[in-house]
């Protein structure tokens, strides 16, 4: 009898757990679950709290950071004045992925900024922060997703913000040249306080920029890498310098040249 009693208690406990899991999985999605039903954010600054349990990732929705963000909710924001603005999920109970887009159709949005884990020193790091230069009257599409379909209590705030700290980069040692290829180092000495892309840009004219051909990658930590540049014209002089860009701006390392 003792064994049977505890066995039935165990079965009841398992059934209760299964019910809770099923209830969470079948929770009704939030009203702003889909792009077309985005909630309106009023004012140049404000705060919002909501529960995102039951949120989904609709077909055709872009992945802002990688293929692991899902369970998103959508907002529309139209500022009344120009200025540097920040959107922040500090205070949320789950691992957020925050992105700002522009565009009128879900499948043709232009990404303005995105962030998974903040780098400004605030805790927890798994919350998100983006900063960008907003234009009065422009319509911005704001989405908050959960990493690995995570969801929970969302705290969203927006308002005027200081610009992000720009990165620092050096053009490293020129490692040599083949007839149609170059090997150049880029040394990212600081990422500032936001995710940074860095790499090498080159041109047949001095002072190459990101309007010229470039190769790079994104990182969250100071880094150094040798970039291989192929398919160059033999006998041509190329000007090369490292670059790094984040929410705080774009910077360049010293220029070198090779023929």
């Amino acid at each position: 009898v003792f064994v049977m009693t505890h066995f039935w208690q165990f079965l009841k406990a398992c059934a209760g757990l299964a019910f809770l899991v099923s209830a969470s999985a079948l929770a009704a999605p939030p009203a702003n679950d889909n792009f077309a039903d985005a909630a309106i954010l009023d004012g140049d600054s404000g705060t919002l709290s909501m529960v995102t349990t039951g949120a989904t990732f609709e077909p055709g929705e872009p992945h802002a950071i990688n293929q692991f963000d899902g369970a998103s909710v959508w907002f529309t924001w139209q500022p009344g004045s120009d200025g540097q603005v920040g959107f922040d999920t500090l205070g949320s109970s789950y691992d957020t992925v925050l992105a700002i887009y522009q565009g009128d159709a879900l499948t043709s949005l232009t990404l303005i900024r995105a962030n998974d884990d903040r780098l400004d020193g605030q805790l927890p790091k798994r919350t998100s922060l983006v900063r960008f230069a907003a234009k009065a009257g422009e319509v911005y599409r704001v989405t908050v997703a959960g990493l690995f379909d995570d969801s929970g209590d969302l705290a969203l705030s927006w308002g005027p913000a200081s610009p992000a700290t720009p990165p620092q980069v050096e053009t490293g040692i020129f490692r040599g040249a083949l007839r149609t290829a170059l090997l150049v180092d880029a040394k990212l000495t600081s990422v500032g306080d936001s995710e940074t892309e860095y790499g090498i840009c080159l041109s047949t004219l001095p002072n190459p920029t990101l309007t010229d051909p470039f190769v790079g990658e994104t990182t969250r930590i100071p880094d150094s890498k040798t970039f291989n540049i192929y398919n160059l014209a033999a006998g041509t002089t190329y000007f090369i310098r490292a670059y790094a860009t984040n929410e705080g701006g774009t910077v360049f390392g010293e220029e070198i040249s090779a023929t």
Side-chain angles (χ1 to χ4, degrees), residues 6-240:
H6 282 269
F7 177 71
W8 283 112
Q9 289 177 343
F10 172 75
L11 289 181
K12 287 181 179 179
C14 289
L17 179 61
F19 173 78
L20 290 174
V21 172
S22 298
S24 175
L26 297 175
N32 58 333
D33 182 43
N34 291 335
F35 175 81
D37 300 316
I40 296 175
L41 301 176
D42 291 322
D44 285 357
S45 62
T47 60
L48 174 146
S49 298
M50 65 172 291
V51 177
T52 63
T53 304
T56 64
F57 202 76
E58 60 186 306
E61 184 169 343
H63 290 279
I65 299 293
N66 50 44
Q67 299 299 309
F68 304 118
D69 51 323
S72 63
V73 289
W74 287 88
F75 305 90
T76 297
W77 181 66
Q78 190 173 21
S81 59
D82 294 352
Q84 190 77 11
V85 66
F87 278 77
D88 200 333
T89 65
L90 188 66
S92 300
S93 67
Y94 63 102
D95 195 340
T96 59
V97 178
L98 174 62
I100 312 294
Y101 294 94
Q102 284 192 292
D104 297 325
L106 179 66
T107 55
S108 58
L109 295 173
T110 299
L111 180 65
I112 305 300
R113 282 287 184 268
N115 176 250
D116 177 8
D117 297 336
R118 65 195 313 124
L119 291 175
D120 65 342
Q122 294 283 346
L123 297 175
K125 290 184 177 181
R126 66 178 187 170
T127 57
S128 310
L129 170 66
V130 297
R131 289 160 291 197
F132 63 100
K135 298 293 185 182
E138 294 283 323
V139 176
Y140 296 93
R141 315 292 183 173
V142 182
T143 180
V144 182
L147 194 67
F148 298 109
D149 290 320
D150 205 357
S151 61
D153 297 323
L154 169 64
L156 179 65
S157 63
W158 65 97
S162 299
T165 304
Q168 298 176 21
V169 70
E170 299 174 358
T171 307
I173 299 171
F174 173 65
R175 293 187 177 275
L178 303 176
R179 291 187 62 194
T180 59
L182 295 172
L183 283 75
V184 183
D185 288 349
K187 184 178 181 181
L188 184 66
T189 57
S190 171
V191 296
D193 59 3
S194 62
E195 195 167 63
T196 296
E197 177 189 306
Y198 81 113
I200 295 293
C201 56
L202 75 158
S203 174
T204 56
L205 298 175
N207 301 317
T209 69
L210 294 188
T211 60
D212 298 305
F214 66 92
V215 58
E217 63 179 39
T218 300
T219 183
R220 299 176 58 82
I221 59 174
D223 200 2
S224 181
K225 182 175 181 178
T226 300
F227 289 90
N228 303 317
I229 308 169
Y230 300 104
N231 301 318
L232 302 177
T236 301
T237 298
Y238 288 92
F239 298 89
I240 308 142

